[in-house]
Amino acid sequence: MLLLAFLGEVAIFGLFAPAFFTLPNLFEILRFSVELGLVAIALTPILVAGDIDLSVGSTVGLVAVIFGIAWHDFHTPILVAIVLGLLTSVACGALNALFIAYLRLTPLIITLGTYSLYRGIGEGMTHGAASFTGYPHYFLMLGQGYMWGVIPVQLFVFIIFIVFYSVLLHRSTIGRALYAIGFNSEGARYAGLPVRRRVALIYILSGAVSGIAAIIYVAHLGLAKSDMGTGFELSAISAIVIGGTSVFGGRGTISGTLLGLLFLTTLQNGLHLLAVPSEATGVLTGVLLLFVVGMDAFREKASESGTTQALPQMKRIAIAGGAITVVVAVIATLVSTHMHHPIPTAANIGVRGLHRPVIAVMPKAKGDPYFVSARAGAEQAARELGVDLIWDGPTSLDASQQNELVENWITRGVDAIVVAVENKGSISTVLRKAREHNISVLTWDADAERDARDYFLNQATPKAIADTLTDEAARLLPQGGQFAIITGSLSAENQNEWIGFIKARIAEKYPQLRLATILPSEDDRDKAFAQTQTILKVYPAVKLVMAISAPAVPGAAEAVQQSGRNVDVIGLSLPTICRPYIHSGVVQTIVLWNTRDLGYLTVFAGWLDSQKKIPKDVASISAGRLGHLDVRGSEIILGQPLIIDKRNIDSLDF
């Protein structure tokens, strides 16, 4: 039945998704399946044996960090760094094996513990901020290279492990033992099977293969970072279970896992090509996963009760067909909605029948109020210009998902890509690839490497932002004292640049100010609230909190308000979410620019660049309702930061 669902989604995407039925896109689907696919096939024998391993994603992150530190900080040869990373992954698998196979502790609890342990070690070694880039070209070829210009290099590695695990699970005594263990582990033990050794083997192999996936992932992104592999364990288990492996053990195949993997990666690829929001993939995956697990549970209950005829074969087929029909129907509905409800366009712009430019704009995180506000301006520009706007991105800060979306937009053949960069070391390679395909590439909010884009849409210079915030802090603390900074992510390129200029401004002009600490909020209001509570307890001398992420300002303000402490709050945020705190006096000042204007500029500048309407060495451009904007080299400047307080906040609606 899964095969029918897969063929159904392929047929729908083939009819409606631009460039879906092309050889390069087929290999792109396979390329994006490799890292997750390696983890999935390594987990399949574990689920067949009735166990689970939730630590594989964290193992990927830890191995990436070990590899990055070995190469970048200790200057070991790439091969030595790879060996150190793989030894780490084997050790991770062996630790799981020790507790589960030999101490006979619960796999769910143990791997949940090592999930946190391995991720915590990786984050501790890098302070959750450091990332390692700049790898040599020959190493990057492992994740970015193509044989004969079309076949991804890492696909050959994947095929080797597919063959290995197929033989291990389906053509060896080890595999037969794993099925027996999954059906009845105690029975297998009484039958004389070496249960401990077999279980230990598959956990050690799972760790080792996760390490190989990590090395390929680093080569793919050109980046090593502690949060790599986040969510891999759940995505891999989804692919395995959708592919027919029983969550209760004793049943499953490598071919089924591969089909489940292809179903999920093809679904994601097709929806991205159609510019359907990324969240739809999770909805459809959840529908199918709930159905498969529900049917699996029913089968187990029927088997235990001996009522093998409780659900006749034809009825099971009908239910399965109905579930698959629902999935395919939802896909078709999403396609139909997308095809028939494009963004409205101005009737007097463009000529019917001619190509309508497609401008793809990516925020750092779609749910961030800052980017939600910017989207309104982007949609206004799209209507004025008569262009199609694709607005999509990660729902949280995720450099790897940014890369994947850009790859899909390259396949689709959009006219311009405009990205708010999460990590420039990671995304610059794929942006260069987009430029090689004659796609206009611009960045906004945070920049990529200069040779990876045409223009950076600079909302305000980093120095101007930092100086304005620091001057406000000095105005509120004329006698000096301690202050704390709450940033978005410790690895955010633009926010780290602001912090650098803040420190320089203090050293130059305000030595009476002392920076107590810098804590991350991950662009989350609740986490900013918790971090501010920590600051107020741990640093009682702090007199001011400077939050430089839009959701962090109201989070910090709420914590200060509840504490009753006389602590000032300033930062960089939106008037709409800070208005009550400014009126109550908890927040004294926020600094920003008009986010709707910035969103408007992403589409307008993307259109200008794609139409070759920005001459070289021009000093300014005309950007619609924004008027003339300065161009400084390869940067288009929106303007100076705006100071927002009680005097003007009610006149601002963004």
Side-chain angles (χ1 to χ4, degrees):
M1 286 300 168
L2 179 60
L3 179 60
L4 292 178
F6 176 67
L7 294 176
E9 73 172 355
V10 166
I12 292 172
F13 292 141
L15 286 172
F16 297 105
F20 179 81
F21 265 143
T22 60
L23 192 61
N25 188 55
L26 167 64
F27 281 112
E28 281 303 304
I29 292 173
L30 295 176
R31 184 164 82 94
F32 276 107
S33 302
V34 170
E35 296 95 341
L36 180 61
L38 285 168
V39 173
I41 61 172
L43 276 177
T44 301
I46 292 178
L47 266 71
V48 166
D51 288 346
I52 198 164
D53 185 355
L54 298 177
S55 69
V56 286
S58 299
T59 301
V60 169
L62 178 57
V63 171
V65 167
I66 296 294
F67 169 80
I69 290 175
W71 180 81
H72 188 272
D73 291 352
F74 294 102
H75 309 293
T76 64
I78 283 288
L79 184 59
V80 174
I82 290 174
V83 170
L84 290 173
L86 295 182
L87 287 175
T88 301
S89 67
V90 171
C92 291
L95 183 61
N96 286 335
L98 172 64
F99 282 106
I100 295 168
Y102 290 99
L103 299 182
R104 299 180 66 179
L105 299 177
T106 307
L108 177 64
I109 302 302
I110 293 302
T111 59
L112 188 61
T114 52
Y115 160 89
S116 298
L117 174 66
Y118 301 157
R119 185 71 70 190
I121 293 173
E123 291 177 347
M125 294 175 71
T126 61
H127 304 289
S131 58
F132 308 97
T133 59
Y135 299 101
H137 177 71
Y138 64 83
F139 171 71
L140 295 178
M141 285 294 291
L142 177 62
Q144 301 174 9
Y146 295 88
M147 299 290 289
W148 305 290
V150 66
I151 303 177
V153 171
Q154 67 264 49
L155 192 59
F156 294 101
V157 178
F158 191 28
I159 291 171
I160 291 171
F161 280 93
I162 290 172
V163 173
F164 171 78
Y165 270 96
S166 296
V167 172
L168 177 74
L169 193 58
H170 305 304
R171 293 290 186 269
S172 73
T173 56
I174 295 174
R176 289 193 289 274
L178 293 174
Y179 282 105
I181 293 167
F183 275 119
N184 188 329
S185 61
E186 289 302 317
R189 186 173 286 107
Y190 285 125
L193 293 177
V195 174
R196 289 184 177 180
R197 279 184 291 167
R198 296 295 180 255
V199 172
L201 174 65
I202 55 178
Y203 275 101
I204 292 172
L205 285 174
S206 175
V209 174
S210 297
I212 292 168
I215 300 300
I216 294 175
Y217 202 19
V218 172
H220 181 178
L221 296 180
L223 167 78
K225 196 165 173 279
S226 62
D227 63 357
M228 294 181 71
T230 300
F232 266 31
E233 57 285 323
L234 299 181
S235 297
I237 291 170
S238 296
I240 296 166
V241 173
I242 287 173
T245 297
S246 173
V247 293
F248 302 101
R251 180 167 49 83
T253 62
I254 295 297
S255 60
T257 294
L258 293 175
L259 185 58
L261 177 70
L262 274 178
F263 179 87
L264 295 181
T265 52
T266 301
L267 177 65
Q268 192 166 23
N269 173 264
L271 293 178
H272 284 164
L273 291 179
L274 283 167
V276 174
S278 304
E279 307 88 88
T281 306
V283 173
L284 295 174
T285 302
V287 169
L288 193 59
L289 189 60
L290 287 172
F291 163 74
V292 171
V293 173
M295 288 295 293
D296 199 26
F298 179 87
R299 186 184 292 109
E300 285 294 315
K301 288 182 179 293
S303 176
E304 290 173 3
S305 63
T307 57
T308 55
Q309 301 301 317
L311 187 64
Q313 183 71 12
M314 290 304 294
K315 190 174 181 181
R316 286 203 300 269
I317 292 174
I319 293 175
I324 290 167
T325 300
V326 168
V327 172
V328 175
V330 173
I331 295 174
T333 301
L334 289 170
V335 170
S336 175
T337 301
H338 172 77
M339 297 296 290
H340 295 98
H341 297 282
I343 291 174
T345 56
N348 61 340
I349 297 180
V351 179
R352 288 177 181 259
L354 295 182
H355 168 71
R356 285 164 53 92
V358 178
I359 312 298
V361 181
M362 187 188 305
K364 282 183 183 176
K366 292 198 316 187
D368 188 327
Y370 172 91
F371 293 107
V372 172
S373 176
R375 180 174 184 171
E379 291 175 344
Q380 180 188 2
R383 287 190 292 268
E384 289 181 9
L385 293 168
V387 303
D388 286 334
L389 168 65
I390 299 174
W391 180 280
D392 201 5
T395 53
S396 60
L397 303 176
D398 188 340
S400 61
Q401 192 175 347
Q402 286 199 326
N403 280 34
E404 184 177 344
L405 278 169
V406 172
E407 290 277 10
N408 290 139
W409 289 343
I410 293 171
T411 300
R412 179 187 170 109
V414 301
D415 294 273
I417 294 172
V418 193
V419 180
V421 174
E422 163 58 16
N423 188 290
K424 66 181 180 182
S426 169
I427 204 168
S428 292
T429 299
V430 71
L431 293 182
R432 292 186 190 100
K433 180 180 176 181
R435 296 185 75 191
E436 290 169 2
H437 283 72
N438 297 315
I439 297 173
S440 295
V441 176
L442 301 90
T443 56
W444 64 297
D445 187 67
D447 202 4
E449 302 289 350
R450 291 201 174 190
D451 66 337
R453 47 77 171 167
D454 302 330
Y455 292 96
F456 171 46
L457 308 178
N458 200 341
Q459 57 270 21
T461 65
K463 187 176 186 307
I465 295 167
D467 287 355
T468 303
L469 286 168
T470 311
D471 291 347
E472 281 297 301
R475 181 182 68 82
L476 292 166
L477 302 177
Q479 304 304 316
Q482 289 188 8
F483 75 102
I485 292 178
I486 296 182
T487 184
S489 166
L490 291 175
S491 62
E493 304 280 354
N494 60 332
Q495 290 166 353
N496 285 338
E497 191 173 10
W498 298 341
I499 292 170
F501 280 114
I502 289 169
K503 291 178 178 178
R505 184 75 164 178
I506 290 171
E508 173 192 352
K509 196 171 180 180
Y510 305 113
Q512 73 274 19
L513 293 178
R514 298 187 304 279
L515 178 57
T517 187
I518 301 171
L519 296 179
S521 67
E522 303 304 334
D523 288 334
D524 181 84
R525 177 172 174 158
D526 292 339
K527 188 166 184 180
F529 173 85
Q531 296 284 44
T532 305
Q533 287 184 319
T534 300
I535 289 169
L536 296 176
K537 292 175 183 176
V538 177
Y539 301 95
V542 162
K543 299 179 179 179
L544 179 143
V545 175
M546 182 188 295
I548 58 175
S549 163
V553 175
E558 185 63 33
V560 169
Q561 183 170 275
Q562 291 187 19
S563 73
R565 292 267 301 275
N566 185 25
V567 174
D568 294 328
V569 178
I570 65 171
L572 196 147
S573 190
L574 297 162
T576 50
I577 61 177
C578 294
R579 186 171 287 119
Y581 297 106
I582 285 183
H583 281 308
S584 67
V586 179
V587 175
Q588 282 66 44
T589 305
I590 57 174
V591 175
L592 201 61
W593 41 90
N594 191 312
T595 52
R596 291 187 182 177
D597 287 353
L598 180 59
Y600 182 97
L601 181 59
T602 61
V603 173
F604 209 103
W607 175 77
L608 287 175
D609 194 35
S610 67
Q611 303 302 306
K612 311 302 179 190
K613 293 181 179 290
I614 305 179
K616 288 185 178 179
D617 302 322
V618 69
S620 66
I621 61 169
S622 178
R625 67 171 177 78
L626 302 180
H628 284 81
L629 301 179
D630 290 342
V631 179
R632 301 175 189 172
S634 60
E635 294 189 6
I636 299 173
I637 310 298
L638 179 64
Q640 289 294 316
L642 174 66
I643 296 177
I644 303 167
D645 53 25
K646 287 182 179 179
R647 297 170 299 174
N648 60 355
I649 192 168
D650 289 330
S651 64
L652 304 172
D653 62 350
F654 56 90

